[in-house]
Amino acid sequence: MSYPLVERVSHRLFGDMLRMMLSEQVYFDLTLEEGRTLSRNFTALAYDWRRADFIYLSPVGGDVEFSAAVTKDGVHVETANGRHHLSWDDVTELAERLAVE
């Protein structure tokens, strides 16, 4: 499996959700609206990374918050397993996959 990736998952209360996976152990479960919100943020930052220093999202369907520092080299996501780097190519790919109908 190649990371990062996004797949649809089902939640017993929220229905269809998106699982944004950065590795086998690191993933974030997002509602479809949260996925679209993060997609818009990623798209704006990939266009001009100086728009924000930090991204934060507390997904309603998961136990893990999304917290990341924005740098000229990409996005550094803080996780329980340590910092995970996403290149701008990774960020652009995730933005496309999170932008659901």
Side-chain angles (χ1 to χ4, degrees), residues 1 6 15-17 19 26 32 45 48 50 53-54 64-66 73 78 82 90 95 97-98 101:
M1 215 176 286
V6 175
D16 282 347
M17 296 186 70
R19 179 166 287 166
V26 179
L32 301 182
L45 290 171
D48 182 0
R50 294 167 293 214
D53 297 328
F54 200 75
V64 181
E65 61 191 27
F66 180 85
D73 298 321
E78 296 296 331
D90 292 336
R97 291 181 179 184
L98 291 168
E101 299 290 322

Side-chain angles (χ1 to χ4, degrees), residues 4-98:
L5 63 92
V6 175
E7 61 183 28
R8 281 205 183 233
V9 295
S10 183
H11 188 279
R12 63 183 175 84
L13 295 176
F14 300 115
D16 282 347
M17 296 186 70
L18 300 174
R19 179 166 287 166
M20 180 177 69
M21 302 177 70
L22 305 185
S23 72
E24 189 173 315
Q25 298 85 18
V26 179
Y27 62 88
F28 302 89
D29 287 344
L30 309 167
T31 65
L32 301 182
E33 186 59 36
E34 289 168 341
R36 286 190 288 267
T37 299
L38 197 52
S39 172
R40 288 190 296 272
N41 278 286
F42 281 166
T43 300
L45 290 171
Y47 179 74
D48 182 0
W49 64 270
R50 294 167 293 214
R51 291 176 178 252
D53 297 328
F54 200 75
I55 305 170
Y56 178 83
L57 179 69
S58 181
V60 298
D63 296 333
V64 181
E65 61 191 27
F66 180 85
S67 175
V70 179
T71 71
K72 67 178 180 169
D73 298 321
V75 175
H76 299 291
V77 182
E78 296 296 331
T79 73
N81 295 355
R83 183 177 279 187
H84 189 94
H85 176 73
L86 295 173
S87 69
W88 287 118
D89 287 341
D90 292 336
V91 170
T92 300
E93 182 177 337
L94 284 171
E96 290 173 7
R97 291 181 179 184
L98 291 168

